[in-house]
Amino acid sequence: VSKLEGSPRRLDHVPSWPRTREKPSGMATLAIQAHRPLRSTNKNVRPSKRTSTRVRSAKSPSTGIGSCHGGAFLSDAEKAYLEKVASMIGTPGKGITACDEGPGTIGDRFAAVGIENTEENRRSYRQILFESPGCEQYLSAAILDPETIYQKSTNSGDLFPKVLSDRGIVPGIKPHLKVYALPGQDGATVMQGLDSLAVRLAEYKAAGCEFAKWRSPLEIDVSAGQPSDLIIQANMRDLARYALICQAEGLVPIVEPDISLKGDHDLETAVRVNVKVQSELFKAMLDHGVYMEGAVLKSNIVNPGKACKTKYTVDEIAEANLAVFRRCLPTAIVTANYLSGGQSLPDASARLNAINKHKTAKDPWNLSFSWSAALQMPLFQLCKGKDGLQLEAMSELYLKELAIASAAARGEHVPGAGEGDHAIA
């Protein structure tokens, strides 16, 4: 897979968040390096050329007839700031490296290949995800775990948010807590963490983060009637409230309705459920007054359930994904970055590539990747049976994977025969 052509150059930087605020309390009083404006070092980075839909803030109420106010609580400068960050995340041909797994999750991945779960091992592993030579050619953003934003590079001595910003990669944070199974809903869940969100976001903003990502996991279980209307409404309204709080704190919200691959449902059922979930999400965001031009979608690739007995080609899957977006996704949102959600890198990249190849004039969005396991699991396999993390080999493979993901985001990847198809297990 060929690399993006051209030599590095700088982008116009993101201006400082225009709202003044009091210094955050609690953990934010730790000595944190001041965040510097984002700059890109890659000639090929091009912010979106789509015409801005921003209008001057109306002096109107934000309740009743004044709901759907589209960020009336934000100044024009604040809206411009959020739009700029969203546009950088949506840089064509680039995507997001999602490395926001908590210590327990990444510890499980370490344990599977015989790596000790220490903070230093987690730090040194994350460092290659941020500093592998040339990774900025393929990455627009990185999602961090709260632990990671306070860790430093052994190369520069800088905290990781600054390391990323200096490479033109937008640093972001995962602020949600743990899922909670709602009683009477057959194990279906909601995500916790809204009550303390504003305080934590202020801390993360001070630490250099420019966006946040909130995941609301859902599963399709036709026999149990899930996801139920209650589960969909609760999760999507939580995402909308999270997005509103993010924007008030100066961070671009990435909203992630994550419908699992589990189940035996067919592709047609997956389309119906995804349409129902996404339509509920965007209606809730509009009702809450979220400024849509300053938000980003991270969604699952629409797939049949893993146990589905019907075969589908990668092209059929691609058309299903575009059908969902054409019915639901506002054109005000500049980019949608798919999660991998248990798909292998070959399947995820083949499907993303097919989606981009099938795009028409009806599909104005940048469609790219925000992958964790699809990129990371092959890296861990390099350590199996070895003595410790194989950082050099992991870095080399990581760059090859990013080149594939970037090509898929441009619709220029050449997948192997059968990759991306849904085959009967």
Side-chain angles (χ1 to χ4, degrees):
V1 178
S2 62
K3 293 184 178 180
L4 296 176
E5 297 177 355
S7 57
R9 77 170 181 87
R10 288 190 175 277
L11 249 192
D12 293 335
H13 64 73
V14 173
S16 299
W17 176 239
R19 184 181 303 172
T20 57
R21 63 178 72 250
E22 295 181 0
K23 183 178 179 181
S25 59
M27 288 183 64
T29 60
L30 294 171
I32 303 171
Q33 298 229 357
H35 175 60
R36 294 184 180 179
L38 288 169
R39 297 180 184 273
S40 173
T41 57
N42 182 8
K43 173 181 279 187
N44 298 282
V45 175
R46 295 287 190 275
S48 172
K49 293 182 180 179
R50 286 169 55 192
T51 302
S52 172
T53 56
R54 175 161 30 96
V55 295
R56 296 186 62 82
S57 301
K59 300 296 184 182
S60 59
S62 57
T63 58
I65 194 172
S67 62
C68 296
H69 56 77
F73 61 97
L74 298 167
S75 69
D76 285 347
E78 290 166 348
K79 288 181 178 181
Y81 178 93
L82 295 171
E83 275 193 70
K84 177 70 174 181
V85 174
S87 178
M88 290 185 72
I89 295 171
T91 300
K94 292 190 173 188
I96 303 171
T97 183
C99 38
D100 55 323
E101 304 87 359
T105 301
I106 198 169
D108 292 339
R109 295 180 181 180
F110 279 171
V113 293
I115 301 296
E116 185 180 3
N117 185 19
T118 66
E119 182 179 356
E120 175 53 26
N121 277 342
R122 295 193 296 272
R123 188 211 62 79
S124 59
Y125 170 64
R126 260 70 183 261
Q127 183 166 315
I128 69 161
L129 301 181
F130 308 148
E131 295 189 350
S132 290
C135 66
E136 65 273 10
Q137 294 182 73
Y138 313 113
L139 293 176
S140 61
I143 308 171
L144 281 58
D145 180 74
E147 174 186 66
T148 312
I149 64 175
Y150 299 113
Q151 293 175 330
K152 293 183 177 181
S153 165
T154 54
N155 292 324
S156 66
D158 292 326
L159 293 167
F160 281 139
K162 183 178 184 301
V163 169
L164 290 162
S165 295
D166 286 349
R167 286 174 170 259
I169 302 171
V170 186
I173 188 70
K174 174 196 71 179
H176 60 70
L177 303 179
K178 301 292 184 181
V179 294
Y180 172 74
L182 280 184
Q185 291 296 314
D186 294 293
T189 63
V190 292
M191 188 64 74
Q192 301 178 98
L194 283 172
D195 287 349
S196 58
L197 182 62
V199 173
R200 288 181 288 114
L201 289 179
E203 174 193 338
Y204 301 145
K205 180 70 176 179
C209 294
E210 299 287 357
F211 71 90
K213 186 273 297 183
W214 183 287
R215 172 176 174 261
S216 291
L218 302 166
E219 293 183 10
I220 298 176
D221 185 338
V222 176
S223 62
Q226 292 292 343
S228 66
D229 288 349
L230 173 61
I231 287 296
I232 293 173
Q233 291 168 5
N235 277 283
M236 298 309 105
R237 291 173 186 176
D238 283 352
L239 278 172
R241 186 147 54 109
Y242 141 82
L244 193 70
I245 296 169
C246 275
Q247 291 185 335
E249 295 299 327
L251 290 98
V252 166
I254 296 183
V255 291
E256 182 183 3
D258 176 7
I259 299 178
S260 170
L261 279 172
K262 293 180 182 178
D264 59 2
H265 53 277
D266 58 22
L267 185 59
E268 292 72 24
T269 299
V271 168
R272 291 197 297 270
V273 174
N274 276 270
V275 166
K276 186 168 185 177
V277 168
Q278 290 193 25
S279 60
E280 184 75 33
L281 169 62
F282 298 125
K283 177 64 164 60
M285 291 174 71
L286 290 166
D287 284 346
H288 279 68
V290 173
Y291 183 56
M292 304 299 277
E293 292 85 344
V296 170
L297 174 67
K298 175 174 179 175
S299 69
N300 54 281
I301 292 180
V302 180
N303 277 306
K306 270 191 172 182
C308 175
K309 300 300 183 183
T310 304
K311 293 182 179 180
Y312 296 96
T313 67
V314 66
D315 294 300
E316 290 173 321
I317 291 171
E319 288 289 3
N321 279 269
L322 290 171
V324 171
F325 280 173
R326 288 166 185 165
R327 296 169 190 174
C328 302
L329 182 57
T331 57
I333 292 180
V334 69
T335 186
N337 293 63
Y338 287 107
L339 59 97
S340 54
Q343 300 168 105
S344 67
L345 180 62
D347 280 343
S349 56
R351 289 164 184 164
L352 175 60
N353 184 72
I355 292 168
N356 277 296
K357 278 187 173 296
H358 282 272
K359 281 173 63 176
T360 69
K362 295 187 291 185
D363 311 306
W365 316 278
N366 177 68
L367 302 181
S368 189
F369 62 92
S370 178
W371 292 345
S372 171
L375 297 172
Q376 293 186 37
M377 299 310 285
L379 305 183
F380 292 126
Q381 290 304 307
L382 296 174
C383 304
K384 199 167 187 177
K386 305 287 180 60
D387 183 19
L389 290 167
Q390 305 300 299
L391 295 177
E392 185 175 347
M394 295 168 87
S395 177
E396 291 176 2
L397 178 56
Y398 179 56
L399 291 173
K400 292 177 182 177
E401 292 176 330
L402 289 179
I404 292 171
S406 174
R410 304 191 307 272
E412 298 173 2
H413 173 54
V414 181
E419 290 180 350
D421 294 344
H422 173 75
I424 298 176

